């Protein structure tokens, strides 16, 4: 569909009207939603890991296929080549996933370095494939003191930067050392109920968007850039 004459700055070839049928595809995936979970602490009793494990149990009960990445041995970004086994494992999981859960402790008023390192190792693009674009994301944090939202707010910024569909709900567990029993299971509480809410919402958003993610994140500016690049290649070949 061509834009109206008064929209003189639009490239007619790159301008597409959003298509409801592409947002509501007749053929839908039937496999369990694939969810990757990342946590941000290497401590033996890591509350971000315990919260992540609790989230994975909930996701499985809701019909998803959760996989937790173990960050032990992951090098610092730029501190090892891209073919490092832990980097490759993380990147393969990022491509496999249809949604993610990021859970970080709050340390010095921010997410941990380990949490940021994992996200930094996930590239915006691998060849022509964007490992995170259009995928859903839920963010959670744990803290040793009063409730805070510094880490989840930062994770939301990163989710936007990675072009992910970050769900509205989130979880922040205050005084996390009081919220888990000796076996590492989360105790009944409003905090636990919020985690259930967040995982439920993540699954709903994943089921809703995974079959139309390509159309959701298809951008006019990128279509126009791709068309210009193609035109340049064709012109160069004709010289």
């Amino acid at each position: 569909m061509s834009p109206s004459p008064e929209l003189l700055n639009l490239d007619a070839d790159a301008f597409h009207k959003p298509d409801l049928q592409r947002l509501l595809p007749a053929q839908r995936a039937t496999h369990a939603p694939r969810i990757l979970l990342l946590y941000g602490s290497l401590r033996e009793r890591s509350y971000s890991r315990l919260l992540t494990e609790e989230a994975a149990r909930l996701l499985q009960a809701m019909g998803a296929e959760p996989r937790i990445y173990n960050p032990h041995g992951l090098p610092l970004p730029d501190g090892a080549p891209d073919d490092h086994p832990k980097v490759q494992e993380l990147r393969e999981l990022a491509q496999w996933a249809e949604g993610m859960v990021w859970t970080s402790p709050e340390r010095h008023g921010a997410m941990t370095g380990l949490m940021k390192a994992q996200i930094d190792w996930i590239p915006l693009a691998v060849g022509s494939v964007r490992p995170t674009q259009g995928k859903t994301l839920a963010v959670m944090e744990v803290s040793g003191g009063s409730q805070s939202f510094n880490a989840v707010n930062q994770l939301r910024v990163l989710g936007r930067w990675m072009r992910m569909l970050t769900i509205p709900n989130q979880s922040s567990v205050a005084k996390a050392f009081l919220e888990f029993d000796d076996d590492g299971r989360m105790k009944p509480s409003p905090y636990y109920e919020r985690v259930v809410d967040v995982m439920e919402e993540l699954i709903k958003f994943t089921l809703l968007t995974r079959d139309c993610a390509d159309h959701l994140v298809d951008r006019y500016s990128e279509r126009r850039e791709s068309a210009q690049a193609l035109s340049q290649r064709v012109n160069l070949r004709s010289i």
Side-chain angles (χ1 to χ4, degrees):
M1 175 181 179
S2 299
S4 59
E6 60 267 22
L7 299 176
L8 300 178
N9 292 327
L10 279 178
D11 182 334
D13 293 332
F15 180 79
H16 296 169
K17 182 179 179 180
D19 185 350
L20 179 60
Q21 296 305 312
R22 292 184 66 186
L23 293 172
L24 302 171
Q27 297 294 324
R28 290 191 169 272
T30 58
H31 63 269
R34 301 191 295 260
I35 308 296
L36 170 63
L37 299 96
L38 307 179
Y39 61 90
S41 170
L42 298 178
R43 290 178 176 176
E44 183 176 354
R45 186 170 170 83
S46 163
Y47 294 108
S48 63
R49 175 177 56 79
L50 295 180
L51 184 57
T52 294
E53 291 172 350
E54 204 68 50
R57 295 184 188 101
L58 290 166
L59 289 169
Q60 190 165 28
M62 294 175 186
E65 180 184 354
R67 295 187 186 178
I68 300 174
Y69 175 73
N70 182 347
H72 280 271
L74 180 70
L76 288 173
D78 302 323
D82 292 351
D83 60 0
H84 187 283
K86 292 299 294 187
V87 175
Q88 286 298 304
E89 179 189 359
L90 176 59
R91 291 186 172 186
E92 288 170 7
L93 285 170
Q95 292 194 25
W96 164 86
E98 296 168 326
M100 296 190 194
V101 179
W102 295 349
T103 305
S104 179
E106 181 171 320
R107 184 172 298 165
H108 298 278
M111 77 180 78
T112 61
L114 178 64
M115 191 77 236
K116 183 64 162 56
Q118 292 175 83
I119 298 168
D120 284 349
W121 271 120
I122 301 173
L124 284 173
V126 179
S128 61
V129 177
R130 297 184 184 273
T132 55
Q133 179 167 266
K135 298 181 179 183
T136 53
L137 172 66
V139 295
M140 302 195 295
E141 74 167 82
V142 295
S143 57
S146 58
Q147 192 174 41
S148 173
F149 300 95
N150 290 327
V152 288
N153 288 340
Q154 292 175 332
L155 291 171
R156 283 188 176 278
V157 171
L158 286 173
R160 178 182 62 79
W161 188 259
M162 302 297 283
R163 298 182 173 184
M164 302 185 76
L165 306 174
T166 309
I167 66 170
N169 215 340
Q170 62 186 22
S171 169
S172 174
V173 180
K175 298 182 179 178
F177 61 92
L178 297 176
E179 299 301 322
F180 294 86
D181 62 24
D182 291 341
D183 295 323
R185 297 302 305 271
M186 196 170 186
K187 301 174 183 177
S189 72
Y191 289 131
Y192 177 77
E193 292 178 2
R194 174 58 67 90
V195 176
V196 179
D197 289 348
V198 173
M199 294 307 110
E200 183 179 43
E201 188 171 293
L202 176 65
I203 292 297
K204 290 176 180 177
F205 272 78
T206 304
L207 291 171
L208 186 66
T209 62
R210 67 178 178 177
D211 296 305
C212 60
D214 289 343
H215 187 54
L216 278 173
V217 297
D218 184 33
R219 291 175 171 85
Y220 164 78
S221 60
E222 292 181 351
R223 290 194 300 270
R224 190 166 184 273
E225 183 181 8
S226 297
Q228 289 177 332
L230 176 61
S231 177
Q232 289 175 354
R233 286 198 300 272
V234 172
N235 289 336
L236 283 173
R237 289 170 184 165
S238 66
I239 295 176

